[in-house]
Amino acid sequence: AVPALTSAAPAHRSWRHSGGHAEPSRGWGGIGRVMDGLRPVLLAGEVPGVRVRFVVSRGRGSILLSPLYLARTLMTIACESLFRRVDIVHINLSQDGSAFRKLIVAWLCRRLTLPYVLHLHGSHFHTFWERAGGRLSRALDTMFRHSAMTVVLGTAWRDFVSARVPALGPRIVILPTATRDPGRRTARQSREQRRIVFSGAHGPRKGTRELIDALGSLADDPSWFATMTGNGEIERTRHAAKSLGIADRVAIPGWIPDAEFESLLDDADILVLPSYDENLPLSVVEAFARGIAVIATPVGALPDIVKDGVSGLVVQAGDVGALGEGIRRLLRDDALRTRLGNAGRCVYESRLMLAVYARNLVEAWRRARAQISGTS
C-alpha cells in the first residue's frame, strides 16, 4: 500500500508508501494491521500539520494483479510529484516480492528527485539481503544508501542495516510497531482453565512444532486450553497435537477475522511466540496492550521490549523444555502472570501506543525532509 502523506505546516508535503492492504485482515500480516490503525489517526488530523493519502501497491487475490497495482502506485507518485503535491515518500519494505516492488518505487523516487523513507518490517529481510546475488545486492545497497531516513523496529535491525550500509548510520530511526489502545482489562474472574494464545504462520520459523511439544509435556496439567491461529502448515500442527493426545486441548482454527482475534486476546491469559526469526511481531504488542503475560524468544527486536522476568519470560528458540517450564510457571503462579502482564502494559503505554507511534513517525518524516532541504 502507498500512503501518501502531505504536510501542511511547516509548508512541505510528503508521501508514505507501504506494503499492506486498504482492508483489514489478519491474513495480510502485521504491517497491514499497523496501517489500518495508523490511517484513521492521520486522516482525522490527530497529528497537526500533516495530510496523508494511502495507495495500495499489492492487492488482495491473485499475485498476477500485482503489476497492475504497482503501475498505479508509480503513476500516482509521478503525478503527485509533477504537481508538487508531495515532499517525501515512505516505503514499507519487506523481503521477497515486496523488496522487488519497492526497488522500483525507490528508483522512480530517485529519478523524480523525490526523497523517500524506508520502513523495514520484514521478519527475515536480513537473510534475504545476505543471500542476494551481485546485482540484487547492489540494488538493495543503493536503495538504502539513498534513503533520506530508514525506520527499523529495534536495536538488532539498526545494527544490521548500519553494518550493511555504514553511511546510513545517522539516518536510522528505531520506531517499534504500535497498535491501537484496547484499554486496560478489568480484573479477571478465576476459572479452571487458563487461556493460551499463539498467532502466526504455522511452520518452522514460528516454532509451532516446539510449542505443540511443550504443550504435550503439560498434558497432565488440566489447567490450560490453547488456541493457535494463523495460516501455513496448519494440518501438520493439527497432526502433531493429535499424536501427543492434546487435540482436544488445542484449537487450530486457521486465520480468523480481526474482531474474533481481538475477542480471543481479550480472554487470554498467556501469549506464546517461540519464533526462530522475527522483526517485531504485532501479536506481542497487542498482548502487551491488554496486559497479557508473554513468553517469547530473544530474536529480532523482541529483546528491546520483552525483558526476562520483567515484562515477560524469555526462552531460547528450540528449547522445548524451557518453553514448557515457562508455560507451567505462568499457569501456576497467578502473581507472576499478573506482574508480567502489568509490566507489559506499562511498556505499551510508554512506547507502543498508536498515538505515540504516529507522532514519532511524522517527526521522522519532517526530520528526513529537513535533512534533504539542508535546514537541520
Side-chain angles (χ1 to χ4, degrees):
V2 176
L5 155 70
T6 308
S7 174
H12 67 264
R13 294 173 294 277
S14 41
W15 268 73
R16 290 195 34 129
H17 182 286
S18 66
H21 192 271
E23 301 173 10
S25 168
R26 294 203 58 75
W28 201 250
I31 195 64
R33 304 203 304 278
V34 172
M35 292 300 104
D36 290 334
L38 182 64
R39 182 181 292 105
V41 172
L42 293 180
L43 293 181
E46 294 184 29
V47 181
V50 65
R51 289 177 293 155
V52 62
R53 176 181 176 183
F54 289 76
V55 181
V56 178
S57 67
R58 191 192 75 156
R60 184 189 303 278
S62 173
I63 194 172
L64 297 177
L65 296 177
S66 291
L68 298 179
Y69 283 96
L70 177 59
R72 186 180 67 172
T73 293
L74 299 174
M75 186 178 300
T76 303
I77 292 175
C79 289
E80 293 289 332
S81 176
L82 177 65
F83 290 103
R84 300 183 181 277
R85 292 196 294 253
V86 56
D87 293 292
I88 197 163
V89 176
H90 182 112
I91 304 173
N92 277 356
L93 175 65
S94 187
Q95 57 278 327
D96 304 323
S98 172
F100 289 105
R101 292 194 305 275
K102 308 314 168 51
L103 281 169
I104 297 172
V105 174
W107 171 85
L108 176 64
C109 290
R110 293 196 298 274
R111 291 297 300 265
L112 296 171
T113 64
L114 187 60
Y116 59 87
V117 169
L118 294 178
H119 191 161
L120 180 57
H121 65 88
S123 59
H124 51 281
F125 192 88
H126 55 308
T127 55
F128 173 78
W129 199 349
E130 288 166 350
R131 295 172 182 171
R135 291 186 63 185
L136 176 57
S137 181
R138 289 192 296 273
L140 292 170
D141 291 349
T142 298
M143 177 172 64
F144 276 87
R145 188 169 60 253
H146 288 280
S147 66
M149 192 79 70
T150 292
V151 176
V152 297
L153 307 190
T155 304
W157 288 94
R158 178 200 62 194
D159 295 345
F160 167 73
V161 173
S162 62
R164 292 288 311 211
V165 187
L168 192 59
R171 291 179 279 129
I172 300 176
V173 174
I174 296 177
L175 186 59
T177 299
T179 186
R180 67 174 184 81
D181 186 4
R184 282 185 175 270
R185 296 193 300 181
T186 57
R188 312 295 303 283
Q189 292 184 345
S190 61
R191 54 187 175 188
E192 292 185 1
Q193 285 189 321
R194 299 298 175 190
R195 301 293 193 265
I196 301 169
V197 171
F198 163 91
S199 179
H202 291 228
R205 184 175 70 84
K206 290 284 187 178
T208 46
R209 178 61 206 233
E210 287 80 355
L211 177 53
I212 287 292
D213 288 343
L215 293 173
S217 72
L218 303 173
D220 61 336
D221 184 342
S223 68
W224 61 271
F225 183 88
T227 302
M228 298 176 63
T229 72
N231 56 7
E233 300 174 4
I234 296 173
E235 290 305 319
R236 284 192 177 187
T237 306
R238 289 172 178 160
H239 177 75
K242 184 176 180 180
S243 69
L244 293 174
I246 56 172
D248 61 335
R249 310 268 301 278
V250 183
I252 306 172
W255 280 113
I256 59 178
D258 278 358
E260 190 175 335
F261 181 73
E262 290 179 5
S263 178
L264 181 68
L265 280 182
D266 288 340
D267 195 45
D269 299 288
I270 303 167
L271 181 126
V272 186
L273 191 65
S275 301
Y276 285 81
D277 203 7
E278 287 289 356
N279 199 315
L280 182 58
L282 189 60
S283 61
V284 172
V285 177
E286 291 170 324
F288 273 21
R290 290 168 172 80
I292 300 169
V294 169
I295 302 177
T297 49
V299 297
L302 281 169
D304 285 8
I305 63 170
V306 184
K307 307 295 184 182
D308 190 36
V310 179
S311 56
L313 294 184
V314 177
V315 300
Q316 295 301 313
D319 192 337
V320 174
L323 181 60
E325 182 56 31
I327 297 173
R328 192 184 295 274
R329 283 182 65 193
L330 292 184
L331 291 173
R332 293 180 174 179
D333 193 335
D334 293 349
L336 175 63
R337 194 175 60 252
T338 299
R339 177 170 63 80
L340 295 180
N342 288 340
R345 172 69 192 188
C346 289
V347 173
Y348 170 77
E349 290 178 348
S350 64
R351 301 176 58 192
L352 307 172
M353 295 187 76
L354 198 59
V356 175
Y357 177 86
R359 289 195 299 269
N360 289 340
L361 186 57
V362 171
E363 178 59 27
W365 290 334
R366 288 174 174 153
R367 284 173 53 196
R369 181 61 185 176
Q371 183 170 284
I372 292 296
S373 302
T375 59
S376 65

